[in-house]
């Protein structure tokens, strides 16, 4: 495929298949996505595509990527040969027929019959695919780029044959009997050269996928029957125990069962600092083990790994269409018939009103109109930019599900953030420890934490887990507890070193203002009693993510309104909102009501983005103009979102908006250039101010310039 009309031709053919409700064909990847009410037989898809002059392969086929690679290499090689032959033979014809240089040419080059033989090779061998595509499309009453090229070159070729074999007819009309084999031959050569350059440039737009695929490990060291063996990664099955040594890539996703290490996860998170991993932690396939040796259990293999899912998501995004692309497709489908009518009008005008020998002028000028108007650049304007834009996003840990999400992101003027797990870490952490004097003896902060953790070790309460984690982080040796008791709604108690320890709510008889101050900050306060006397307190809170404040500040400066939505109480929500600089707080909102809040903003004319991570956020993510899910979130939330932040960094919300703006800027410039090229040069061709050969060269370069401009996106900083 080479233009928007080619895409339209294939989409129309695929939509004729019974059961197919929609068909989307991507120009740059050459992939088609079908939406159907039932399972479609492969042969029906193959036949539909074949009927319009193309062939189809299926993703379910083994080694599809290898097949595509082989086909593309074959296509490039074939184009290279045809370009060389066409331009070489065309050059010989030009040498023998062009005024000024033909005087120095061998006599055989000037012979019209010799030129006919050379031109026939180019016309019917090099241009075979052009004819095949044009005939197939016309059979379905569709005109595309190939139609324009074939009509133009065939007219020039047939005229030249007539001149060669029936020169007397023109002599009788006092018209110079001069063939134009050079026109038809060189035009085909230049058209094929343009396609060759396009094919090479398009290959550059798919580098993101290639890089991701290249990240995969080739082998895995599995432990089977108490022996370590190296096997190809394709043979790894879920449940396998795998050993990873320092400096090795992790083969597949899994959970560490033995050992610990620091792992470079930059390829999925974008974070440059290695992440410490311990027993029970998850590891991601294709990430790099930096230090320790460990054994882990494979949980996801093959197409289920995170990397495979990322690759699939990026491919789908690159193959989808933005609304602005659909507009270009519609214009292109009407554009070709209009151009043909303009070419006919040009021919009639020059033939009737042109100088003597108007037939020749009429023919050449109408051919120039057909060639100059080929909508290649128009068809490439959007998909090339989308491919590069989504690729850049993937490299920065921003996965964009479809082109529409990429286009919508730059329009967002209101962003609603879920609190827990999105703005905050989603895990309670100890933030403050205070000690009080008791019987002229004061326990230190570490002793308070140690005693509290020793008792809470026996509890499964999240607050208790936070205290235990605090003790472990400070490497405090916990003490055995006796007479442990959980007091529902209040706390826990036990005996440690002969002392009764209570951890929980404050006794009614005690008053402590510092505790109230901490509560006002959105923290949960746990009080520690030793022998029934208040000895200290521990404040616990779901701490704010390091990236949240920077992200909110930047968004506010950009003029984007930030909103926080949570089921938490108003006091806690307000405290966190104040720290972040979020003025609008929606607290105590039930999960099922989050969607309603999104729709309220939309009714006010806002373009709303929702950022969340939980199952309870899924309806709101789906209802928003664009949903942004945290990579640490649930599968349901990620599925409902248009953008996923794998890197867990909230500043990536800003990056996604910036990427959207730059991509749309590139698309608009591409479309402007494509339309301007046709609007300016079609009248020039109609007036006879540009030759068919120059027209073909200009057409090819317009396509290459559009692709090159899209590739410039790689240089932007987000």
């Amino acid at each position: 495929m080479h233009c928007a009309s080619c895409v339209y031709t294939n989409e129309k053919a695929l939509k004729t298949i019974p059961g197919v409700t929609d068909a989307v064909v991507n120009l740059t990847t050459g992939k088609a996505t079908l939406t159907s009410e039932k399972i479609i037989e492969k042969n029906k898809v193959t036949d539909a595509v074949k009927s319009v002059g193309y062939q189809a392969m299926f993703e379910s086929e083994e080694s599809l990527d290898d097949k595509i690679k082989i086909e593309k290499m074959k296509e490039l090689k074939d184009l290279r040969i045809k370009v060389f032959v066409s331009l070489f033979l065309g050059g010989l014809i030009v040498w023998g027929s062009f005024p000024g240089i033909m005087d120095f040419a061998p006599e055989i080059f000037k012979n019209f019959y010799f030129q006919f033989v050379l031109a026939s090779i180019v016309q019917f061998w090099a241009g075979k695919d052009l004819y095949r595509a044009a005939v197939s499309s016309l059979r379905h009453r569709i005109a595309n780029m190939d139609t324009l090229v074939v009509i133009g070159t065939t007219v020039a070729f047939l005229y030249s044959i007539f001149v060669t074999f029936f020169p007397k007819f023109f002599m009788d009309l006092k018209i110079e009997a001069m063939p134009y084999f050079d026109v038809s031959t060189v035009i085909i050569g230049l058209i094929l050269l343009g396609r060759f350059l396009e094919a090479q440039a398009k290959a550059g737009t798919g580098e993101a996928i290639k890089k991701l695929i290249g990240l995969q490990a080739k082998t895995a060291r599995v432990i089977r029957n108490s022996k370590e063996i190296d096997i190809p990664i394709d043979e790894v099955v879920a449940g396998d125990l795998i050993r990873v040594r320092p400096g090795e890539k992790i083969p597949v996703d899994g959970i560490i069962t033995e050992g610990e290490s620091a792992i470079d996860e930059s390829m999925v998170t974008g974070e440059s600092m290695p992440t410490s991993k311990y027993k029970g932690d998850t590891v991601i396939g294709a990430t790099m083990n930096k230090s320790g040796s460990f054994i882990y259990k494979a949980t996801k293999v093959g197409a289920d790994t995170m990397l495979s899912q990322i690759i699939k998501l990026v491919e789908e995004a690159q193959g989808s269409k933005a609304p602005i692309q659909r507009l270009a497709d519609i214009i292109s489908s009407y554009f070709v018939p209009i151009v043909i009518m303009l070419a006919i009008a040009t021919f009639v005008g020059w033939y009737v009103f042109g100088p003597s020998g108007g037939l020749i002028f009429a023919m050449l000028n109408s051919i120039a109109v057909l060639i100059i108007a080929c909508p290649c650049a128009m068809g490439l304007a959007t998909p090339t930019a989308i491919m590069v834009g989504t690729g850049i996003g993937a490299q920065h840990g921003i996965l964009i599900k479809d082109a529409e999400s990429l286009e919508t992101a730059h329009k967002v003027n209101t962003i609603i953030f879920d609190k827990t797990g999105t703005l905050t870490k989603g895990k309670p952490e100890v933030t403050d420890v205070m000690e009080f004097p008791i019987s002229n003896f004061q326990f230190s902060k570490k002793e308070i934490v140690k005693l509290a953790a020793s008792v809470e070790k026996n509890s499964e309460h999240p607050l208790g887990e936070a205290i235990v984690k605090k003790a472990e982080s400070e490497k405090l040796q916990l003490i055995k507890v006796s007479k442990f008791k959980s007091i529902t709604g209040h706390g826990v108690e036990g005996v440690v070193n002969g002392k009764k320890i209570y951890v929980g709510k404050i006794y009614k008889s005690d008053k402590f203002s510092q505790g109230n101050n901490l509560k006002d900050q959105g923290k949960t306060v746990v009080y520690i009693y030793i022998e029934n006397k208040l000895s200290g307190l521990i404040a616990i809170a779901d701490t704010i993510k390091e990236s949240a404040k920077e992200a909110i500040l930047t968004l506010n400066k950009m003029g984007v309104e930030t909103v926080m939505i949570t089921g938490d109480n108003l006091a806690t929500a307000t405290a966190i909102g104040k720290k972040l600089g979020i003025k609008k707080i929606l607290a105590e909102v039930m999960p099922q009501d989050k969607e309603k809040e999104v729709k309220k903003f939309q009714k006010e004319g806002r373009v709303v983005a929702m950022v969340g991570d939980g199952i309870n956020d899924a309806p709101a993510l789906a209802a928003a103009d664009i949903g942004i899910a945290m990579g640490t979130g649930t599968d349901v939330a990620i599925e409902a979102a248009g953008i996923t932040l794998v890197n867990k960094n909230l500043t990536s919300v800003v990056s996604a908006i910036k990427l959207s703006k730059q991509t749309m800027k590139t698309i608009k410039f591409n479309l402007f250039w494509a339309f301007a090229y046709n609007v300016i040069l079609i009248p020039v061709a109609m007036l006879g101010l540009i030759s068919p050969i120059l027209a073909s060269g200009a057409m090819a370069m317009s396509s290459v310039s559009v692709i090159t401009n899209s590739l410039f996106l790689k240089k932007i900083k987000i």
Side-chain angles (χ1 to χ4, degrees):
M1 298 188 297
H2 307 284
C3 67
S5 297
C6 302
V7 170
Y8 180 76
T9 301
N10 277 280
E11 287 180 344
K12 192 172 180 180
L14 289 167
K15 287 176 183 177
T16 61
I17 302 171
V20 173
T21 56
D22 191 28
V24 177
V25 176
N26 184 272
L27 178 62
T28 50
T29 61
K31 290 187 177 183
T33 304
L34 302 183
T35 305
S36 61
E37 298 170 339
K38 58 181 182 180
I39 297 172
I40 306 298
E41 296 176 11
K42 288 184 179 181
N43 65 303
K44 290 184 178 179
V45 177
T46 305
D47 292 344
V49 173
K50 192 176 180 180
S51 71
V52 288
Y54 298 88
Q55 59 177 339
M57 293 186 290
F58 296 87
E59 284 208 294
S60 58
E61 294 179 5
E62 292 183 8
S63 306
L64 178 65
D65 290 331
D66 292 336
K67 287 184 180 181
I68 293 173
K69 188 178 180 181
I70 292 168
E71 284 295 322
K72 286 186 175 180
M73 288 177 66
K74 186 181 176 183
E75 182 188 5
L76 279 170
K77 186 180 178 181
D78 186 53
L79 276 172
R80 191 182 291 111
I81 294 169
K82 287 180 177 178
V83 167
F84 175 77
V85 172
S86 301
L87 294 180
F88 178 73
L89 297 182
L92 296 181
I93 297 172
V94 170
W95 191 8
S97 58
F98 205 80
I101 62 171
M102 63 182 295
D103 297 338
F104 306 98
E107 285 302 316
I108 192 169
F109 290 179
K110 302 175 187 178
N111 186 285
F112 293 170
Y113 295 99
F114 179 73
Q115 292 181 5
F116 163 69
V117 173
L118 298 183
S120 297
I121 295 171
V122 176
Q123 196 77 28
F124 300 114
W125 172 72
K128 180 179 65 176
D129 291 337
L130 297 172
Y131 275 96
R132 186 170 58 194
V135 170
S136 296
S137 61
L138 288 173
R139 196 184 297 141
H140 289 78
R141 298 178 183 178
I142 302 168
N144 59 18
M145 171 192 161
D146 295 322
T147 310
L148 301 180
V149 175
V150 165
I151 291 173
T153 58
T154 302
V155 168
F157 184 73
L158 292 176
Y159 173 82
S160 301
I161 291 175
F162 201 72
V163 167
T164 301
F165 290 94
F166 306 100
K168 190 174 180 303
F169 175 82
F170 294 92
M171 291 176 183
D172 293 341
L173 295 172
K174 296 181 180 180
I175 299 173
E176 185 182 5
M178 189 69 185
Y180 287 90
F181 289 119
D182 56 335
V183 172
S184 63
T185 308
V186 174
I187 284 174
I188 289 176
L190 290 172
I191 293 293
L192 295 176
L193 176 62
R195 291 190 176 182
F196 177 75
L197 294 173
E198 282 178 22
Q200 283 194 316
K202 278 191 239 177
T205 62
E207 285 179 5
I209 295 291
K210 291 179 185 175
K211 285 180 180 177
L212 287 171
I213 293 171
L215 291 170
Q216 293 174 316
K218 302 296 186 288
T219 61
R221 182 172 289 102
V222 300
I223 302 172
R224 292 179 180 175
N225 300 321
S226 301
K227 293 182 179 180
E228 293 185 11
I229 56 172
D230 290 334
I231 62 172
I233 192 171
D234 296 337
E235 295 179 13
V236 178
V237 296
D240 272 339
L241 291 176
I242 302 170
R243 181 181 293 281
V244 184
R245 293 178 298 194
E248 292 182 339
K249 283 185 178 179
I250 295 169
V252 297
D253 299 1
I255 299 172
I256 294 176
T257 59
E258 184 182 320
E260 58 186 58
S261 184
I263 296 174
D264 180 0
E265 295 184 332
S266 58
M267 72 96 181
V268 287
T269 67
E271 295 290 332
S272 58
M273 291 296 291
T275 306
S276 297
K277 297 284 184 176
Y278 305 95
K279 184 179 178 180
D281 287 341
T282 58
V283 290
I284 303 167
T287 56
M288 181 66 73
N289 182 31
K290 301 295 287 185
S291 55
S293 175
F294 62 90
I295 296 173
Y296 77 101
K297 183 180 179 181
T299 55
K300 293 181 179 180
V301 300
D304 295 328
T305 64
M306 180 179 285
L307 182 64
S308 295
Q309 293 299 312
I310 289 172
I311 292 170
K312 185 182 178 183
L313 194 62
V314 174
E315 282 182 332
E316 288 175 353
Q318 294 184 341
S320 62
K321 286 187 181 182
I324 198 168
Q325 170 65 19
R326 297 189 189 104
L327 176 64
D329 289 347
I330 294 169
I331 292 171
S332 295
S333 66
Y334 289 103
F335 186 71
V336 175
I338 291 170
V339 168
I340 292 173
M341 288 189 285
L342 289 174
I344 294 170
T346 301
F347 180 86
V348 172
W350 277 97
Y351 184 73
V352 175
F353 303 106
S356 62
L359 176 65
I360 297 170
F361 284 106
M363 180 191 70
L364 291 176
N365 292 334
S366 60
I367 291 171
V369 170
L370 290 170
I371 301 300
I372 205 77
C374 290
C376 294
M378 202 180 303
L380 293 166
T382 300
T384 53
I386 293 293
M387 283 193 73
V388 177
T390 52
I392 292 169
Q395 290 170 9
H396 287 79
I398 305 167
L399 298 184
I400 301 163
K401 186 179 289 186
D402 51 44
E404 190 167 354
S405 298
L406 184 60
E407 180 174 338
T408 304
H410 81 286
K411 302 176 186 176
V412 169
N413 51 30
T414 302
I415 300 181
I416 303 173
F417 290 90
D418 168 57
K419 179 179 77 70
T420 307
T422 302
L423 292 171
T424 66
K425 294 179 180 179
K427 295 179 180 179
E429 292 182 4
V430 173
T431 58
D432 304 86
V433 180
M434 291 186 183
E435 68 277 23
F436 311 140
I438 164 178
S439 304
N440 299 320
F441 179 80
Q442 187 171 344
F443 288 86
S444 69
K445 290 181 179 180
K446 284 191 175 183
E447 287 174 313
I448 293 293
V449 173
K450 183 178 179 178
L451 290 169
S454 296
V455 179
E456 289 286 5
K457 183 74 173 176
N458 299 277
S459 169
E460 294 180 354
H461 196 281
L463 297 179
E465 289 178 5
I467 295 171
V468 173
K469 200 169 185 179
K470 174 69 173 177
E472 288 174 349
S473 68
E474 294 188 3
K475 298 181 179 179
L476 301 177
Q477 192 69 39
L478 302 187
I479 307 166
K480 189 176 180 181
V481 177
S482 61
K483 298 182 181 180
F484 174 81
K485 183 180 178 184
S486 177
I487 307 167
T488 306
H490 290 274
V492 293
E493 67 178 31
V495 177
V496 181
N497 289 339
K499 292 185 174 65
K500 181 184 175 184
I501 310 295
Y502 166 82
V503 185
K505 291 183 177 180
I506 195 168
Y507 292 170
K508 288 183 179 180
S509 57
D510 291 315
K511 293 183 180 179
F512 191 63
S513 60
Q514 286 95 324
N516 293 329
N517 293 336
L518 291 168
K519 288 179 182 178
D520 291 339
Q521 297 174 30
K523 299 175 181 179
T524 301
V525 180
V526 176
Y527 297 89
I528 293 87
Y529 285 80
I530 302 174
E531 296 292 335
N532 295 321
K533 292 184 179 180
L534 184 60
S535 306
L537 66 77
I538 297 174
I540 301 167
D542 183 5
T543 55
I544 295 170
K545 288 180 179 177
E546 290 79 4
S547 61
K549 195 167 184 177
E550 183 185 348
I552 300 298
L553 182 65
T554 308
L555 288 168
N556 289 340
K557 285 182 179 177
M558 291 168 63
V560 178
E561 184 178 10
T562 53
V563 181
M564 184 171 74
I565 191 167
T566 179
D568 211 341
N569 64 79
L570 182 60
T572 301
T574 303
I576 291 173
K578 189 176 180 181
K579 286 182 181 177
L580 290 170
I582 299 176
K583 295 178 181 177
K584 196 169 185 66
I585 309 295
L586 302 174
E588 300 173 18
V589 179
M590 299 299 289
Q592 62 269 27
D593 294 330
K594 287 186 177 181
E595 180 188 7
K596 294 177 183 176
E597 294 295 337
V598 169
K599 289 181 176 178
K600 282 181 184 178
F601 282 101
Q602 289 174 324
K603 285 179 181 178
E604 295 174 8
R606 311 279 189 92
V607 180
V608 181
M610 172 71 195
V611 186
D613 72 317
I615 293 174
N616 62 331
D617 298 321
L621 288 166
D625 295 285
I626 181 168
I628 302 174
M630 305 303 294
T632 51
T634 62
D635 292 340
V636 176
I638 292 169
E639 185 65 30
I643 295 175
T644 301
L645 306 181
V646 180
N647 59 14
K648 312 169 193 175
N649 194 327
L650 281 170
T651 57
S652 293
V653 174
V654 180
S655 299
I657 294 173
K658 287 181 178 178
L659 180 61
S660 173
K661 285 182 178 178
Q662 288 294 331
T663 304
M664 290 308 301
K665 187 178 177 182
T666 299
I667 290 172
K668 287 174 181 177
F669 180 83
N670 284 349
L671 287 173
F672 170 79
W673 167 249
F675 282 114
Y677 162 82
N678 286 311
V679 169
I680 294 169
L681 290 185
I682 288 176
V684 172
M686 291 179 72
L687 293 170
L689 301 176
I690 188 170
S691 70
I693 292 174
L694 288 175
S696 62
M699 185 275 292
M701 292 313 299
S702 70
S703 298
V704 174
S705 65
V706 162
I707 295 171
T708 304
N709 186 52
S710 295
L711 291 172
F712 279 140
L713 265 173
K714 292 182 178 182
K715 296 184 178 181
I716 67 164
K717 292 183 179 180
I718 60 173

